[in-house]
């Protein structure tokens, strides 16, 4: 289907495929890596491990009687090694809260976690209206294209008694919508046409604000024959859970506080890039030529109980994290004993159980992680200091 742009005088000004818009492609990369549902699961898995790395990293790194130097600002005159360590740690300290907000507000959109969240909301009676956010890059109802209302509009022509959709009164409804000063963009749906995400059509005119700043959204319905207003629903009329998610989505998309929200998002992204670069440098500076470079385990694991508690709580809340932990444990127990060369390269002792990426790589990709990784991270921090 294509979007057709028609001027008030009826002249066709142009058309385009909405799926090929730059922002639509960007959304598919962001949510699915252009891999469909499998890409959505991969994004969710990485987000789950990012939560582990941030929370456990803060817990293990949190300074004891160190003062503010190396915590709020880096030490710039103590050599390259300490500079890179402080750059990584200080940047992580300042942006960790913002990254956690981005990760948590993105979970309701995730394919697996979001579907489970929707099921829980439904079971507990926390649903007052149709869900207006996607799951894993697809509409919550499962119709990939319904969110653009193209096929839905065509289907609506044969909906409600198989009568075609009538556009009589469109000008009058548009004038009424303009008088409401609703947040841009405003969508006008004729009687019988299906709504967003494949929602069954109603025999009434519907005027809906689809603003990215979701608290500004409003939906108004008008009688198909008399054009009189018959209903009005705003953001405040939704369930409190939907409102919380709506605020989170608006923050995630940089729309809640306008340009200030977007500036915070840009600074957070710059911070993440700084973490990735400094982490790679820290790892590369001490990596042996013939091994991954994971530090040796400490003789006495430090802060083990808290780190394990963080991991178990997150595994209980994040299903893909739990599944990946089980998969990694099985790989270590069943496969690695038969691959001694790989085990040595990973830095796993003959009787060992796990590895974790060096502390400098905490912001990049999830690696094998079990309880022994805590001691490795702790020993690395001591080594860098």
């Amino acid at each position: 289907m294509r979007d057709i742009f028609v001027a008030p005088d009826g002249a066709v000004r142009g058309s385009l495929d909405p799926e090929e818009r730059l922002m639509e492609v960007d959304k598919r990369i962001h949510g699915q890596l252009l891999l469909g549902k499998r890409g959505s699961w991969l994004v969710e898995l990485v987000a789950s491990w990012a939560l582990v790395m941030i929370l456990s990293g803060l817990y293990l790194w949190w300074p004891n009687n160190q003062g503010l130097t190396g915590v709020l600002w880096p030490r710039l005159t103590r050599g390259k090694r300490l500079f890179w360590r402080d750059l990584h740690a200080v940047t992580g300290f300042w942006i960790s809260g913002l990254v956690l907000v981005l990760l948590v507000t993105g979970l309701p959109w995730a394919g697996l976690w979001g579907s489970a969240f929707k099921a829980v909301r439904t079971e507990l009676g926390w649903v007052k209206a149709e869900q207006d956010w996607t799951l894993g890059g697809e509409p919550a109802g499962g119709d990939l294209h319904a969110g653009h209302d193209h096929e839905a509009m065509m289907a609506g022509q044969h909906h409600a008694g198989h009568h075609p959709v009538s556009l009589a009164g469109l000008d009058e409804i548009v004038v009424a919508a303009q008088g409401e000063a609703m947040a841009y963009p405003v969508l006008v749906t004729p009687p019988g046409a299906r709504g967003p995400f494949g929602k069954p059509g109603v025999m009434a005119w519907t005027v809906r604000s689809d603003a990215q700043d979701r608290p500004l959204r409003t939906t108004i319905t008008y009688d198909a024959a008399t054009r009189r207003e018959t209903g009005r629903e705003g953001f405040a009329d939704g369930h409190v859970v939907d409102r919380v998610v709506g605020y989170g989505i608006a923050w995630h998309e940089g729309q809640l506080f306008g340009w200030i929200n977007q500036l915070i998002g840009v600074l957070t992204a710059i911070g993440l890039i700084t973490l990735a670069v400094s982490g790679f440098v820290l790892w590369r500076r001490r990596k042996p030529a013939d091994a991954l470079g994971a530090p040796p385990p400490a003789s006495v694991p430090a802060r083990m109980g808290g780190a394990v508690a963080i991991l178990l709580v997150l595994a209980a809340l994040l299903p893909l994290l739990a599944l990946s932990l089980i998969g990694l444990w099985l790989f270590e127990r069943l496969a690695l004993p038969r691959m001694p060369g790989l085990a040595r390269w990973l830095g796993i002792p003959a009787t060992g159980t796990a590895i974790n990426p060096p502390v400098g790589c905490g912001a990049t990709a999830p690696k094998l992680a079990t309880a022994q990784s805590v001691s490795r991270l702790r020993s690395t921090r001591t080594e860098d200091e």
Side-chain angles (χ1 to χ4, degrees), residues 24-46 135-138 144:
E24 289 300 322
V25 175
D26 180 67
K27 286 180 181 178
R28 292 200 298 274
I29 295 174
H30 181 72
Q32 297 182 324
L33 303 177
L34 300 180
L35 299 175
K37 184 175 293 186
R38 293 180 179 84
S40 171
W41 295 341
L42 183 59
V43 170
E44 183 177 346
L45 177 62
V46 171
L135 295 177
E138 299 182 4
L144 180 60

Side-chain angles (χ1 to χ4, degrees), residues 163-192:
H163 296 294
V165 172
S166 173
L167 297 181
L170 174 61
D171 292 341
E172 187 177 346
I173 295 299
V174 170
V175 171
Q178 290 175 335
E180 295 290 340
M182 300 169 72
Y184 175 87
V186 177
L187 308 179
V188 178
T189 305

